[in-house]
Amino acid sequence: MKRRHLLGGIALGTSALVVGWSLMPPRQRLLPSSPLPDVAGQTSLNGWVRIGSDDQVSVVMARSEMGQGVYTGLAMMLADELDARWDQIKFEPSGFDPIYNNQSVAADGLPFHPDDHGRVKQFAQWMTSKAMREIGLNATGGSSSMKDLWLPMRQAGASARAMLVTAAAQQWQVPETECTVKDGVVSHPSGTSARFGELAALAAKLPHTTSPRLKTPSQFKLLGQATPRLEAASKVDGSAVFGLDVRPEGLWFASVRMNPELGAPLQSFDAAKALQMPGVQKVFAVDASKGSTAGVAVVALSTHQAMKALSQVRTVWGTGPAAAWSSTSIAQHLAKALDSNDAHTYFEHGDAAKAMKTASKTLQAEYSAPYLAHATMEPMNCTVWLKDGAAEVWAPTQIPDAARHVIAKILEIPKDKLTLHVPLLGCGLGRRLELDFIAQAAQIAKACAGHPVQTVWDRSQDMQHDFYRPACVSRYSAGLDDQGQVLAWQSQSASQSIAEDMLARLLGAPAAGPDKTTAEGAFDQAYEWPSSHISHSTVQLPIPVGSWRSVGHSHQAFFKESFVDEVAHATGQDPLAFRLALLKNHPRHARVLQLAADKSGWGIPLSQTGEKRALGLALHESFGSIVAQVAEVSVSAKGIRVHRVVCAVDCGFAVNPDGVAQQMEGAVVMGLTAALHGEITLEKGRVQQSNFHDQPLLRMDQAPLVETHIVPSDAHPEGMGEPGTPPIAPAVANALFALTGQRLRHLPLKWPSGSD
């Protein structure tokens, strides 16, 4: 009885603490746990900005730059509130502190519908954001960087500005309200003025302003304006440092070959010939770690020497669970899952099953999408230097906190003995949210202690040992009444769970609750169906899956928008008018859709000179942004050609309109590459593709003209790195149907339909 009372008291007390903690506001994100380290000639005013005596303003970057323009966008937020000149701005990497954690990425990953504004959702997001502030990760993903740091970066700039004004006012013995700030100078009507660099040291001694007054959009000078990228010049002149550019003194180079069967072991190897080759220093086995596959590493004095010697290593590979699976059996397994009764319902409205029974006509279609590789332009690489119980690491990663943890664990050193640099990433696309290549590099460096070692995968290893976008199948059905009006909308899809896989390999933890990414793009859209039911069946397969640009939206948008088009044509309605009729209570979506249609000339006959062309339309919301795309398409004996893509987007406030357009253009090209060519196939657990000859990219002469039109908005910024990718595949497929009358339901899109 005493024990029961004791346990009950502990539980009651713990519950009270949790409730009390949940009611407290989130902790501030202005000041780190420890002040920024001193840098000669520079003074830190908070955890996000330093000002030098030379008037240079260093903005602390807590996100990885992988071509998405995040350095520029984040710097614009701080610089505008600070009232600094753009040519004063430079950037430096952040350290490791909870204020740099990404709160939005986890909160946005909860499986709620965007139209759900209930208390349960609000509480869940509140609690998740608070928890991420304390125990989360500094992660670059989920198109969340601008959204997550919109307020912290602006508050950091505004707080520093207020401190500089106070310093000037005290020095001049005038009221603060009489001082103004412009272009890095604080001025007084008397004619007295001082540059930021002259005031920074004094300002740093003043109390921090934790709740500064922020500008209104009408007061912005930089924000909302087309602004040059901070890192652009370095990429042009070659001074930019990517992971592959790192060259510490005495660098060795490692090349790795892993078992071609995913997840299978290495039984033995013979390195006699390799060890006799020029420049070779070591040859040894590399264990599987953080989702990687076991293999052999060769360390040499150059990458070429390492790769050449690796070809001479004789290996005996073991086999594992993946050997039982090939693309055909995987497709059958997924199709079987559609007939199961274990699907999780992500969204339902009304009684769709009952409505289907009363329908005068029903439509049904099945769609599929294959596994996809990331194929980042810069292959996987990481440089590690273990020496005298400490390490210096250069890791192009999207999750530096997690990378630092796993490296320190493998090297068996405290984290405070590890210096981690995050160079520019030559693409991320979700691939660098993984730790396999980093853990592998740490293993190799540990075997070569005393020498810096750069581990580099060649393209075949990168292509054949990725964490792939899951293969997915989906079955859609719609019920119509006598007048051709939709009564019910149903969909069920089946695939592996990314969250389940990632949590297991990165944290060794089971997934908790439904994985939003499996059904996102199907259940969380704005269409106002009279009744609907959207569900997903999760299957288990020994094929590693991960986050691919736009994650579940990348294929679910193709399924959903293709079937919307099918239903529109089956009811004899124009695809644009059909969609608009389903968006009466969603004016933002309707505005975006109408803008894309207007700018593309929807409804106006195309000038048919040469090959015939047609337009296809798609609308999709992802990562908080709404995107509509119209694709102008033709077909010939050479295949499908997309000539023009008109995009309309509502992403909230467009921090840098040029950046929005750039992301849309890149997303369209990547989405077209996937739609027309992207496919990873397996035979006995082995990936069949190895390079760009059998997994081609869209060539420059194949790329369409991309026009981007931004809906003006003062709303909170939303994601832009990924939302341009999902609509392009269905827009093209819908254009093909308009042009030929043939409906292609499987990715990649093949033309002529059914041909070799």
Side-chain angles (χ1 to χ4, degrees):
M1 290 295 294
K2 289 181 180 180
R3 182 181 301 167
R4 186 181 304 168
H5 283 303
L6 175 62
L7 293 174
I10 291 173
L12 186 63
T14 302
S15 298
L17 286 173
V18 170
V19 171
W21 179 79
S22 70
L23 295 175
M24 295 172 62
R27 290 212 299 162
Q28 58 82 30
R29 299 178 73 184
L30 184 67
L31 305 174
S33 305
S34 301
L36 294 179
D38 292 334
V39 175
Q42 293 188 342
T43 302
S44 63
L45 297 185
N46 51 59
W48 300 94
V49 60
R50 300 179 192 269
I51 296 179
S53 56
D54 58 357
D55 294 332
Q56 288 290 300
V57 177
S58 292
V59 180
V60 174
M61 293 298 171
R63 299 293 179 266
S64 301
E65 176 59 69
M66 48 190 173
Q68 81 278 41
V70 69
Y71 281 4
T72 302
L74 296 180
M76 287 173 68
M77 297 174 189
L78 190 145
D80 203 319
E81 294 286 356
L82 182 60
D83 270 318
R85 297 192 318 274
W86 188 241
D87 62 5
Q88 290 179 270
I89 302 298
K90 61 180 183 178
F91 55 86
E92 65 174 81
S94 71
F96 297 91
D97 190 271
I99 69 168
Y100 304 126
N101 288 348
N102 190 329
Q103 297 183 9
S104 295
V105 69
D108 289 348
L110 297 173
F112 292 102
H113 195 285
D115 290 346
D116 182 350
H117 304 295
R119 292 184 178 180
V120 172
K121 177 181 177 180
Q122 293 174 9
F123 181 72
Q125 290 182 327
W126 171 266
M127 290 290 287
T128 301
S129 294
K130 282 173 61 67
M132 287 296 288
R133 163 64 173 80
E134 307 304 324
I135 58 174
L137 289 175
N138 174 353
T140 306
S143 296
S144 61
S145 295
M146 307 291 260
K147 178 177 182 177
D148 182 64
L149 294 175
W150 171 244
L151 287 179
M153 297 302 284
R154 291 176 62 205
Q155 289 169 344
S159 176
R161 181 183 188 275
M163 293 167 70
L164 291 165
V165 167
T166 300
Q170 289 183 0
Q171 195 172 54
W172 303 333
Q173 296 184 346
V174 298
E176 293 180 21
T177 55
E178 294 181 0
C179 297
T180 58
V181 185
K182 182 180 179 181
D183 294 337
V185 177
V186 182
S187 304
H188 186 262
S190 65
T192 306
S193 65
R195 304 185 323 276
F196 282 179
E198 297 174 311
L199 296 169
L202 178 59
K205 299 176 183 178
L206 300 173
H208 289 88
T209 305
T210 55
S211 300
R213 179 179 296 177
L214 301 179
K215 292 182 179 180
T216 63
S218 63
Q219 295 172 313
F220 292 154
K221 297 176 182 177
L222 272 173
L223 292 172
Q225 303 300 313
T227 305
R229 294 270 289 266
L230 277 176
E231 84 287 4
S234 67
K235 290 177 176 177
V236 173
D237 66 23
S239 61
V241 177
F242 293 84
L244 289 175
D245 295 320
V246 173
R247 289 293 184 271
E249 186 177 354
L251 182 63
W252 286 358
F253 298 84
S255 185
V256 181
R257 184 167 75 245
M258 291 167 277
N259 190 329
E261 181 189 315
L262 293 168
L266 167 70
Q267 287 190 346
S268 64
F269 68 96
D270 181 352
K273 288 185 178 180
L275 286 168
Q276 296 174 6
M277 297 182 70
V280 174
Q281 306 297 306
K282 291 175 179 285
V283 182
F284 49 87
V286 179
D287 295 332
S289 181
K290 299 300 177 183
S292 69
T293 296
V296 177
V298 172
V299 181
L301 299 181
S302 74
T303 302
H304 176 71
Q305 289 175 333
M307 289 182 174
K308 191 173 181 180
L310 189 60
S311 67
Q312 299 301 311
V313 177
R314 298 175 61 186
T315 53
V316 178
W317 302 116
T319 192
W325 295 93
S326 297
S327 291
T328 300
S329 58
I330 290 171
Q332 293 169 347
H333 187 65
L334 292 173
K336 185 178 179 181
L338 289 179
D339 297 321
S340 68
N341 296 317
D342 64 349
H344 174 79
T345 298
Y346 279 82
F347 182 79
E348 60 182 336
H349 170 70
D351 191 335
K354 182 178 180 181
M356 288 292 290
K357 293 178 181 178
T358 65
S360 299
K361 180 181 180 180
T362 59
L363 302 174
Q364 188 176 90
E366 292 190 9
Y367 300 86
S368 67
Y371 289 107
L372 280 185
H374 294 83
T376 61
M377 288 297 94
E378 179 188 24
M380 298 301 102
N381 69 91
C382 181
T383 302
V384 182
W385 190 353
L386 175 63
K387 184 179 180 181
D388 301 329
E392 190 167 9
V393 178
W394 294 263
T397 177
Q398 295 175 240
I399 45 173
D401 286 336
R404 179 170 172 249
H405 174 79
V406 74
I407 294 168
K409 185 175 182 180
I410 291 172
L411 298 183
E412 300 179 290
I413 61 174
K415 283 192 284 188
D416 61 5
K417 293 289 186 181
L418 191 156
T419 301
L420 178 65
H421 309 280
V422 181
L424 294 173
L425 280 58
C427 281
L429 310 177
R431 178 60 179 94
R432 288 181 162 91
L433 287 169
E434 302 290 344
L435 297 171
D436 57 325
F437 64 100
I438 291 173
Q440 190 183 81
Q443 279 191 60
I444 292 170
K446 188 176 181 181
C448 303
H451 293 273
V453 184
Q454 184 174 103
T455 299
V456 182
W457 290 12
D458 67 22
R459 181 59 65 187
S460 65
Q461 295 300 295
D462 192 20
M463 192 79 74
Q464 295 178 336
H465 291 90
D466 201 346
F467 296 94
Y468 305 96
R469 185 191 75 177
C472 186
V473 297
S474 185
R475 178 182 296 154
Y476 273 84
S477 58
L480 311 177
D481 64 14
D482 292 334
Q483 287 73 45
Q485 298 298 309
V486 178
L487 296 174
W489 176 271
Q490 293 179 317
S491 78
Q492 181 183 347
S493 52
S495 73
Q496 294 168 257
S497 165
I498 294 171
E500 190 175 291
D501 265 28
M502 289 188 72
L503 284 170
R505 66 175 168 261
L506 297 184
L507 303 178
D515 176 5
K516 175 188 176 183
T517 69
T518 59
E520 63 183 1
F523 83 91
D524 50 3
Q525 298 303 297
Y527 294 125
E528 299 153 14
W529 306 111
S531 63
S532 59
H533 185 275
I534 293 95
S535 61
H536 183 85
S537 296
T538 298
V539 302
Q540 308 294 325
L541 288 166
I543 311 302
V545 293
S547 295
W548 189 93
R549 189 176 188 175
S550 74
V551 205
H553 293 282
S554 69
H555 46 274
Q556 292 286 3
F558 169 68
F559 306 156
K560 179 261 300 178
E561 282 297 295
S562 293
F563 194 62
V564 169
D565 221 62
E566 290 204 47
V567 177
H569 284 285
T571 60
Q573 298 183 61
D574 173 76
L576 171 63
F578 181 75
R579 287 173 169 84
L580 288 173
L582 293 166
L583 297 170
K584 293 178 180 178
N585 298 315
H586 291 82
R588 287 182 63 206
H589 296 74
R591 185 165 55 247
V592 170
L593 183 60
Q594 190 67 61
L595 178 60
D598 292 344
K599 296 296 184 180
S600 68
W602 184 271
I604 302 173
L606 291 172
S607 175
Q608 301 292 359
T609 56
E611 73 278 338
K612 289 185 177 182
R613 300 183 184 185
L615 300 181
L617 180 71
L619 172 72
H620 196 76
E621 178 181 355
S622 61
F623 307 96
S625 292
I626 305 162
V627 177
Q629 292 175 352
V630 179
E632 183 177 327
V633 178
S634 69
V635 293
S636 68
K638 295 181 180 179
I640 301 167
R641 178 67 189 268
V642 181
H643 302 271
R644 177 179 177 233
V645 179
V646 177
C647 311
V649 56
D650 183 343
C651 57
F653 183 80
V655 173
N656 185 358
D658 271 5
V660 172
Q662 290 162 6
Q663 284 302 289
M664 192 62 69
E665 291 161 7
V668 166
V669 170
M670 183 171 178
L672 273 179
T673 291
L676 301 180
H677 307 298
E679 185 175 25
I680 289 295
T681 57
L682 294 110
E683 186 63 38
K684 295 182 178 179
R686 299 185 176 203
V687 172
Q688 301 302 290
Q689 292 73 23
S690 63
N691 212 315
F692 294 128
H693 70 285
D694 51 12
Q695 187 70 164
L697 302 179
L698 200 70
R699 302 291 180 175
M700 290 182 69
D701 62 351
Q702 300 168 325
L705 172 67
V706 180
E707 303 171 13
T708 300
H709 304 277
I710 303 171
V711 175
S713 175
D714 288 339
H716 196 292
E718 298 291 348
M720 264 315 301
E722 297 166 273
T725 305
I728 188 60
V732 173
N734 293 339
L736 286 169
F737 177 80
L739 184 65
T740 69
Q742 293 197 52
R743 180 68 65 179
L744 303 184
R745 299 188 179 98
H746 309 286
L747 293 175
L749 303 172
K750 301 292 187 181
W751 186 264
S753 180
S755 74
D756 293 333

